[in-house]
Amino acid sequence: MRKLIRHPAVQAGLARLIGLYLVLVVRTTRWQLLGAEPALDLIAAGQPLILAFWHERLPVMPALFRLARAREPRVAQLRPHVLVSQHRDGRFIGAAVARFGVTMVYGSSRRGGAIALAGLLRALRQGQPVLITPDGPRGPRRRAAPGVAQLAALSGAAVVPLSAASTAQRRIRSWDRMMIPLPFGRGVVVCGPPIQVPRDGAPAALPGIEAALDASCAEADRLCGVAEVPGG
């Protein structure tokens, strides 16, 4: 059974099904976008952004750009670049979310990191937003790897801490306690204030980025009335 599930054709079919399921969730959930005005102002001014969220919130984030497009017309002209692992799991995730109009950049701190960093810098210099899960692909949970702060320092792009939650959701027993949204709920996407990282300030900025990501999760969970799962 394990060999069958890992077969490329089966993986492609499962990725398609998951993508369709996420489309169903996005379309049947009543979403709110909160705290996005500073980030949308930067987008309107043509500034690229690094959009960061914890790995556990990945399945509830596809609503972000649908909401943002409704608030800022320029968003429709952008093609977000998403950092995903070169591992089989990362490619599976990439195939599942490809239908949301994103470009995959494959790499991680463990493998292909230099190539991935170059690809993300290129996207930011072209004015495209970049999406990163700083604790992905395998944790530790809610512990940001240095890459997100390094990318901000090198590019000059601000880091926007994000989270999302839904009143209809389940947690799975993965390393990150991933949140799986269900249809027909009420959801929120929470944007924290953009964080600027000085050219030589990446190490010092990392704890603040972690704290901002935790704060956005706590606010999203509070607004949806769901129990927060502590980090670490």
Side-chain angles (χ1 to χ4, degrees):
M1 180 63 69
R2 184 176 299 176
K3 185 180 292 187
L4 176 64
I5 291 175
R6 290 178 177 175
H7 190 279
V10 175
Q11 289 270 301
L14 289 173
R16 176 175 171 78
L17 288 174
I18 291 173
L20 290 171
Y21 175 77
L22 292 177
V23 169
L24 172 68
V25 169
V26 168
R27 292 181 176 176
T28 60
T29 300
R30 292 170 292 141
W31 294 99
Q32 283 184 290
L33 179 60
L34 303 175
E37 288 75 14
L40 292 176
D41 288 345
L42 290 173
I43 291 175
Q47 298 295 313
L49 297 174
I50 300 168
L51 308 176
F53 51 93
W54 291 134
H55 195 271
E56 69 195 65
R57 305 292 165 133
L58 182 59
V60 281
M61 293 309 300
L64 171 63
F65 281 92
R66 182 182 184 187
L67 294 168
R69 281 193 293 268
R71 299 267 287 272
E72 171 50 54
R74 181 178 166 79
V75 174
Q77 305 170 19
L78 302 177
R79 188 168 182 87
H81 285 56
V82 182
L83 178 63
V84 295
S85 170
Q86 289 183 341
H87 187 268
R88 179 181 61 250
D89 293 347
R91 294 187 178 275
F92 179 80
I93 291 171
V97 301
R99 66 180 55 250
F100 294 99
V102 297
T103 297
M104 302 303 149
V105 178
Y106 290 98
S108 70
S109 59
R110 296 178 176 85
R111 184 180 178 188
I115 295 174
L117 179 62
L120 296 176
L121 282 170
R122 189 180 310 115
L124 290 168
R125 287 166 183 161
Q126 293 170 352
Q128 300 296 342
V130 163
L131 279 71
I132 293 180
T133 56
D135 58 342
R138 297 185 178 181
R141 179 175 183 258
R142 293 197 182 185
R143 292 293 180 266
V148 62
Q150 292 170 350
L151 182 62
L154 289 170
S155 67
V159 179
V160 179
L162 297 168
S163 185
S166 170
T167 57
Q169 54 87 20
R170 295 289 184 271
R171 294 274 188 171
I172 61 175
R173 290 187 176 182
S174 56
W175 65 266
D176 58 354
R177 301 296 306 277
M178 182 171 279
M179 178 181 284
I180 304 298
L182 305 176
F184 308 109
R186 178 176 57 82
V188 296
V189 178
V190 174
C191 302
I195 301 170
Q196 295 287 347
V197 180
R199 183 78 177 184
D200 59 351
L206 201 60
I209 292 173
E210 283 189 349
L213 288 169
D214 285 344
S216 66
C217 285
E219 179 66 2
D221 290 345
R222 183 188 70 81
L223 290 170
C224 287
V226 299
E228 184 181 4
V229 178

